[in-house]
Amino acid sequence: EEMTEEAIPETIAFEGEAESPASIIEPTEPEPPPAVVETLVQSTPSEAAVVEEESEVLVGSVSLPPALYNIFINESGQHLATLQRNFESISQSPDAPVQHDFMRAAHTLCGISRTVGFPVIADLAFPLELWLLDLLQHPAPLTDKQHKLMGDAITALHKMLDTIRGNKEPRPAKQLIRSLQAMLKKAQT
């Protein structure tokens, strides 16, 4: 049977969710802050373009709208807090297995960083994610070397975010990335 456009639902309700008009989010253009609106109303078109450019947050060569920058800073801070909290838990109980939210925090930090234009964070978070996934699937107590590497990676991610907060692009953590990749490779053999 061939599906027609009418047969395709516009929304999908997940199990346990009721489909209602309130659950459907219509895309809208974000409203600029009141100060920007006042400036735009009082300016000529060429001056308006300058105001919009000035409203971008520059982090090295990356330019982000302030709302996206703030979302990134807040969300990445939350995911780093989850990484830190799980690391401290493992530090206190070395035999405790890695929890799913530990790996998920690294995964999400990797994704949002790459999305907004900070691949340096993603490049470090990704091998951490893969290693945490391996530890999740094959639970084993961490060696002192593994514990130190995990802590160093999380500390480096914190420093990278702090660098971004200072409107500078973070530097790659090439040695940590190589160490995480080697740890993962060793764990998989």
XYZ file of all heavy atoms in Angstrom, residues 66-133:
535
model
N 24.288 35.336 21.108
C 24.373 35.274 22.572
C 23.517 34.168 23.191
O 23.947 33.514 24.134
C 23.889 36.652 23.019
C 24.122 37.540 21.852
C 23.960 36.680 20.637
N 22.320 33.950 22.674
C 21.448 32.913 23.245
C 22.077 31.534 23.099
O 22.079 30.741 24.045
C 20.075 32.949 22.574
N 22.640 31.240 21.924
C 23.270 29.942 21.697
C 24.517 29.793 22.567
O 24.765 28.732 23.145
C 23.621 29.766 20.221
C 24.256 28.424 19.839
C 23.346 27.261 20.222
C 24.563 28.401 18.341
N 25.292 30.852 22.676
C 26.484 30.836 23.527
C 26.083 30.514 24.972
O 26.683 29.652 25.617
C 27.204 32.186 23.456
C 28.333 32.333 24.451
C 29.583 31.795 24.180
C 28.138 32.994 25.658
C 30.617 31.918 25.101
C 29.167 33.121 26.576
C 30.413 32.581 26.292
O 31.427 32.702 27.209
N 25.058 31.204 25.474
C 24.623 30.978 26.856
C 24.096 29.563 27.067
O 24.373 28.939 28.091
C 23.564 32.008 27.261
C 24.162 33.387 27.412
O 25.325 33.547 27.760
N 23.369 34.404 27.131
N 23.354 29.050 26.102
C 22.863 27.671 26.193
C 24.047 26.716 26.243
O 24.089 25.800 27.068
C 21.927 27.329 25.011
C 20.608 28.088 25.149
C 21.680 25.829 24.920
C 19.735 28.038 23.909
N 25.010 26.927 25.361
C 26.188 26.054 25.327
C 26.937 26.104 26.658
O 27.292 25.062 27.217
C 27.127 26.435 24.179
C 28.442 25.715 24.262
C 28.531 24.369 23.927
C 29.582 26.354 24.723
C 29.733 23.683 24.047
C 30.784 25.684 24.841
C 30.857 24.340 24.499
N 27.206 27.298 27.160
C 27.945 27.442 28.422
C 27.198 26.752 29.558
O 27.794 25.994 30.344
C 28.203 28.936 28.749
C 29.178 29.558 27.741
C 28.701 29.110 30.174
C 30.575 28.953 27.739
N 25.897 26.969 29.651
C 25.104 26.362 30.723
C 25.045 24.841 30.601
O 25.275 24.121 31.576
C 23.694 26.948 30.762
C 23.681 28.383 31.231
O 24.550 28.814 31.983
N 22.697 29.142 30.783
N 24.739 24.351 29.407
C 24.618 22.902 29.227
C 25.960 22.199 29.376
O 26.037 21.142 29.999
C 23.987 22.578 27.878
C 22.506 22.851 27.857
C 21.813 22.298 26.625
O 22.418 21.486 25.884
O 20.657 22.677 26.401
N 27.005 22.769 28.813
C 28.315 22.117 28.949
C 28.752 22.131 30.409
O 29.347 21.161 30.894
C 29.353 22.759 28.033
O 29.478 24.137 28.293
N 28.428 23.187 31.134
C 28.733 23.228 32.561
C 28.003 22.131 33.324
O 28.575 21.495 34.220
N 26.748 21.885 32.958
C 25.979 20.815 33.604
C 26.590 19.446 33.306
O 26.694 18.597 34.200
C 24.531 20.846 33.129
C 23.743 22.029 33.624
C 22.379 22.153 32.952
O 21.979 21.310 32.156
N 21.675 23.226 33.266
N 26.997 19.231 32.068
C 27.571 17.935 31.699
C 28.949 17.746 32.344
O 29.286 16.632 32.760
C 27.619 17.777 30.179
C 26.252 17.762 29.577
N 25.300 16.814 29.894
C 25.642 18.613 28.727
C 24.178 17.072 29.254
N 24.365 18.161 28.531
N 29.705 18.818 32.455
C 30.987 18.722 33.157
C 30.779 18.432 34.641
O 31.544 17.664 35.242
C 31.797 20.010 32.978
C 32.537 20.107 31.647
C 33.077 21.514 31.437
C 33.659 19.093 31.578
N 29.746 19.003 35.224
C 29.431 18.717 36.630
C 29.068 17.244 36.800
O 29.476 16.607 37.785
C 28.292 19.615 37.115
N 28.341 16.681 35.849
C 28.008 15.256 35.891
C 29.266 14.409 35.769
O 29.434 13.425 36.506
C 27.001 14.897 34.771
O 25.809 15.654 34.967
C 26.673 13.412 34.762
N 30.160 14.787 34.852
C 31.426 14.061 34.718
C 32.199 14.115 36.033
O 32.712 13.094 36.511
C 32.271 14.648 33.586
C 31.785 14.414 32.157
C 32.626 15.212 31.163
C 31.819 12.936 31.816
N 32.291 15.300 36.612
C 33.039 15.480 37.859
C 32.424 14.678 39.000
O 33.132 14.009 39.751
C 33.104 16.976 38.224
C 34.032 17.279 39.376
C 35.483 17.010 39.029
O 35.949 17.359 37.952
N 36.192 16.368 39.931
N 31.113 14.739 39.115
C 30.408 14.019 40.182
C 30.626 12.505 40.062
O 30.924 11.828 41.048
C 28.918 14.362 40.127
C 28.090 13.821 41.256
C 26.640 14.306 41.229
N 25.963 14.094 39.954
C 25.674 15.051 39.075
N 26.003 16.300 39.309
N 25.052 14.774 37.952
N 30.541 11.978 38.845
C 30.749 10.543 38.638
C 32.205 10.154 38.875
O 32.485 9.085 39.412
C 30.300 10.137 37.235
C 28.818 9.904 37.166
O 28.347 8.814 37.454
N 28.074 10.927 36.784
N 33.115 11.020 38.476
C 34.533 10.750 38.714
C 34.814 10.702 40.211
O 35.525 9.818 40.694
C 35.413 11.806 38.029
C 36.870 11.632 38.322
C 37.572 10.559 37.816
C 37.541 12.546 39.120
C 38.924 10.382 38.105
C 38.883 12.388 39.411
C 39.583 11.303 38.901
N 34.263 11.645 40.952
C 34.455 11.659 42.414
C 33.853 10.412 43.054
O 34.419 9.856 43.991
C 33.853 12.932 43.008
C 34.662 14.165 42.667
C 33.975 15.482 43.008
O 32.857 15.458 43.589
O 34.553 16.530 42.678
N 32.727 9.952 42.520
C 32.101 8.735 43.030
C 33.018 7.529 42.816
O 33.198 6.709 43.722
C 30.760 8.525 42.334
O 30.169 7.319 42.755
N 33.597 7.440 41.641
C 34.525 6.342 41.350
C 35.786 6.481 42.202
O 36.356 5.493 42.644
C 34.855 6.291 39.843
C 33.666 5.709 39.093
C 36.108 5.481 39.566
C 33.840 5.611 37.605
N 36.214 7.709 42.446
C 37.397 7.935 43.279
C 37.162 7.428 44.703
O 38.072 6.887 45.326
C 37.745 9.424 43.324
O 38.078 9.885 42.042
N 35.956 7.622 45.209
C 35.629 7.181 46.569
C 35.381 5.676 46.646
O 35.642 5.060 47.670
C 34.404 7.938 47.084
C 34.680 9.409 47.302
C 33.410 10.194 47.619
O 32.319 9.645 47.719
N 33.570 11.509 47.759
N 34.875 5.093 45.566
C 34.582 3.648 45.522
C 35.157 3.075 44.233
O 34.432 2.887 43.249
C 33.078 3.403 45.562
O 32.503 3.974 46.695
N 36.464 2.790 44.210
C 37.121 2.340 42.973
C 36.507 1.092 42.337
O 36.627 0.894 41.132
C 38.561 2.070 43.407
C 38.738 2.853 44.662
C 37.404 2.906 45.320
N 35.831 0.259 43.125
C 35.215 -0.942 42.562
C 33.829 -0.689 41.982
O 33.237 -1.578 41.372
C 35.115 -2.040 43.631
C 36.487 -2.543 44.048
O 37.438 -2.408 43.246
O 36.616 -3.065 45.173
N 33.297 0.526 42.180
C 31.964 0.850 41.673
C 31.980 0.885 40.150
O 32.927 1.396 39.543
C 31.501 2.195 42.219
N 30.943 0.341 39.526
C 30.897 0.372 38.061
C 30.596 1.784 37.540
O 30.011 2.601 38.243
C 29.762 -0.592 37.712
C 28.883 -0.587 38.920
C 29.784 -0.349 40.102
N 30.997 2.021 36.311
C 30.699 3.290 35.643
C 29.194 3.367 35.421
O 28.556 2.386 35.022
C 31.461 3.367 34.285
C 30.953 4.506 33.429
C 32.959 3.500 34.529
N 28.621 4.516 35.701
C 27.190 4.720 35.525
C 26.901 5.267 34.118
O 27.741 5.953 33.527
C 26.653 5.699 36.574
C 26.828 5.212 37.999
C 26.069 3.914 38.249
O 24.873 3.816 37.957
N 26.755 2.912 38.781
N 25.708 4.982 33.615
C 25.330 5.397 32.269
C 25.386 6.914 32.092
O 25.810 7.410 31.046
C 23.929 4.869 31.926
C 23.546 5.116 30.509
N 22.778 6.189 30.131
C 23.849 4.444 29.376
C 22.621 6.174 28.823
N 23.251 5.122 28.342
N 24.971 7.671 33.111
C 24.972 9.129 32.956
C 26.381 9.703 32.856
O 26.584 10.789 32.321
C 24.149 9.821 34.045
C 24.681 9.649 35.440
O 25.313 8.612 35.730
O 24.454 10.554 36.270
N 27.377 8.961 33.323
C 28.781 9.371 33.172
C 29.133 9.383 31.676
O 29.617 10.377 31.135
C 29.657 8.368 33.929
C 31.055 8.816 34.256
C 31.886 7.970 34.972
C 31.563 10.050 33.887
C 33.177 8.337 35.306
C 32.858 10.438 34.214
C 33.666 9.578 34.926
N 28.848 8.277 31.012
C 29.128 8.168 29.571
C 28.261 9.138 28.775
O 28.726 9.807 27.863
C 28.891 6.718 29.119
C 29.191 6.429 27.661
S 27.841 6.773 26.490
C 26.506 5.809 27.154
N 26.989 9.247 29.156
C 26.068 10.132 28.425
C 26.505 11.592 28.520
O 26.392 12.346 27.555
C 24.640 9.960 28.955
C 23.619 10.752 28.156
C 22.196 10.578 28.650
N 22.095 10.878 30.059
C 21.472 10.103 30.946
N 20.892 8.993 30.571
N 21.428 10.456 32.213
N 27.050 11.997 29.658
C 27.521 13.377 29.807
C 28.677 13.656 28.849
O 28.723 14.714 28.207
C 27.945 13.647 31.248
N 29.598 12.701 28.715
C 30.705 12.871 27.766
C 30.173 12.908 26.334
O 30.614 13.723 25.505
C 31.726 11.751 27.932
N 29.205 12.047 26.043
C 28.596 11.989 24.709
C 27.931 13.322 24.346
O 28.147 13.867 23.259
C 27.562 10.857 24.672
C 26.711 10.854 23.454
N 27.134 10.332 22.254
C 25.454 11.325 23.257
C 26.172 10.485 21.354
N 25.142 11.079 21.936
N 27.130 13.844 25.261
C 26.404 15.079 24.984
C 27.346 16.268 24.909
O 27.188 17.146 24.052
C 25.306 15.311 26.047
O 24.498 14.130 26.114
C 24.441 16.495 25.691
N 28.342 16.304 25.774
C 29.342 17.375 25.720
C 30.054 17.359 24.369
O 30.261 18.403 23.756
C 30.342 17.229 26.861
C 31.407 18.301 26.962
C 30.786 19.682 27.176
C 32.378 17.979 28.089
N 30.382 16.182 23.896
C 31.013 16.039 22.578
C 30.097 16.599 21.489
O 30.523 17.413 20.662
C 31.315 14.563 22.322
S 31.930 14.207 20.667
N 28.844 16.199 21.503
C 27.904 16.615 20.459
C 27.632 18.107 20.454
O 27.672 18.744 19.394
N 27.373 18.686 21.621
C 27.050 20.111 21.634
C 28.273 20.952 21.296
O 28.154 21.997 20.666
C 26.392 20.566 22.959
C 27.315 20.407 24.158
C 25.082 19.860 23.177
C 26.750 20.937 25.476
N 29.445 20.475 21.669
C 30.671 21.223 21.363
C 30.937 21.248 19.861
O 31.274 22.281 19.297
C 31.868 20.599 22.088
O 31.687 20.670 23.476
N 30.759 20.117 19.235
C 30.965 20.056 17.787
C 29.900 20.889 17.070
O 30.193 21.596 16.112
C 30.934 18.610 17.304
C 31.559 18.457 15.934
C 31.795 17.017 15.522
N 32.587 16.194 16.397
C 33.917 16.229 16.499
N 34.609 17.089 15.785
N 34.549 15.413 17.301
N 28.677 20.848 17.556
C 27.577 21.589 16.936
C 27.828 23.092 16.923
O 27.562 23.751 15.924
C 26.251 21.284 17.664
O 25.976 19.883 17.535
C 25.104 22.087 17.090
N 28.314 23.646 18.021
C 28.500 25.103 18.083
C 29.851 25.562 17.559
O 30.091 26.763 17.473
C 28.263 25.673 19.502
C 26.843 25.428 19.948
C 29.260 25.148 20.498
N 30.726 24.640 17.206
C 31.984 25.040 16.578
C 33.222 24.932 17.451
O 34.233 25.585 17.181
N 33.162 24.096 18.496
C 34.334 23.877 19.340
C 34.775 22.419 19.250
O 34.640 21.639 20.190
C 34.042 24.269 20.793
C 33.682 25.715 20.958
C 32.445 26.082 21.457
C 34.571 26.713 20.600
C 32.097 27.414 21.600
C 34.230 28.047 20.727
C 32.993 28.404 21.228
N 35.331 22.031 18.097
C 35.729 20.634 17.913
C 36.836 20.191 18.871
O 36.980 18.999 19.129
C 36.193 20.583 16.454
C 36.590 21.981 16.131
C 35.662 22.850 16.938
N 37.590 21.131 19.425
C 38.665 20.776 20.343
C 38.096 20.057 21.574
O 38.659 19.063 22.041
C 39.468 22.039 20.739
C 40.412 21.771 21.873
C 40.217 22.585 19.534
N 36.973 20.546 22.079
C 36.331 19.881 23.223
C 35.789 18.528 22.778
O 35.972 17.519 23.465
C 35.206 20.755 23.821
C 35.810 21.991 24.484
C 34.368 19.961 24.819
C 34.793 22.951 25.069
N 35.149 18.492 21.635
C 34.590 17.238 21.124
C 35.679 16.203 20.889
O 35.480 15.015 21.170
C 33.823 17.503 19.826
N 36.822 16.646 20.410
C 37.921 15.724 20.132
C 38.440 15.043 21.396
O 38.958 13.924 21.337
C 39.067 16.450 19.430
C 38.710 16.880 18.017
O 37.700 16.385 17.464
O 39.437 17.731 17.454
N 38.308 15.703 22.542
C 38.705 15.101 23.816
C 37.537 14.333 24.444
O 37.724 13.243 24.988
C 39.211 16.176 24.779
C 39.624 15.694 26.173
C 40.710 14.610 26.098
C 40.105 16.875 27.011
N 36.344 14.860 24.358
C 35.179 14.207 24.977
C 34.838 12.891 24.280
O 34.375 11.951 24.936
C 33.975 15.147 24.957
N 35.089 12.801 22.962
C 34.714 11.590 22.231
C 35.488 10.349 22.682
O 34.874 9.321 22.993
C 34.839 11.798 20.721
C 34.387 10.617 19.921
C 33.065 10.191 19.959
C 35.274 9.920 19.124
C 32.637 9.098 19.223
C 34.864 8.826 18.389
C 33.543 8.406 18.443
N 36.824 10.386 22.754
C 37.503 9.176 23.236
C 37.183 8.880 24.705
O 37.147 7.713 25.114
C 38.990 9.458 23.027
C 39.115 10.915 22.807
C 37.786 11.396 22.308
N 36.905 9.917 25.503
C 36.471 9.687 26.882
C 35.134 8.953 26.875
O 34.940 7.977 27.611
C 36.363 11.012 27.642
C 35.867 10.913 29.087
C 36.805 10.064 29.945
C 35.710 12.311 29.686
N 34.228 9.394 26.020
C 32.930 8.724 25.890
C 33.090 7.260 25.511
O 32.473 6.371 26.117
C 32.083 9.430 24.817
C 30.808 8.700 24.464
C 30.177 9.161 23.160
O 30.582 10.201 22.607
O 29.250 8.470 22.690
N 33.931 6.989 24.508
C 34.120 5.607 24.063
C 34.729 4.737 25.158
O 34.335 3.577 25.341
C 35.007 5.573 22.812
C 34.404 6.194 21.550
C 35.404 6.131 20.404
C 33.091 5.529 21.179
N 35.666 5.295 25.897
C 36.286 4.545 26.983
C 35.263 4.279 28.095
O 35.184 3.181 28.637
C 37.510 5.296 27.506
C 38.263 4.583 28.581
C 38.467 3.237 28.697
C 38.905 5.173 29.697
N 39.203 2.970 29.827
C 39.494 4.138 30.447
C 39.057 6.486 30.132
C 40.214 4.372 31.611
C 39.782 6.712 31.283
C 40.349 5.667 32.013
N 34.462 5.295 28.433
C 33.428 5.112 29.450
C 32.391 4.087 28.991
O 31.922 3.279 29.795
C 32.754 6.448 29.782
C 33.628 7.453 30.528
C 32.942 8.817 30.588
C 33.994 6.953 31.911
N 32.058 4.094 27.718
C 31.127 3.103 27.176
C 31.707 1.700 27.338
O 31.018 0.771 27.749
C 30.820 3.390 25.711
C 29.896 2.396 25.003
C 28.527 2.338 25.675
C 29.758 2.765 23.536
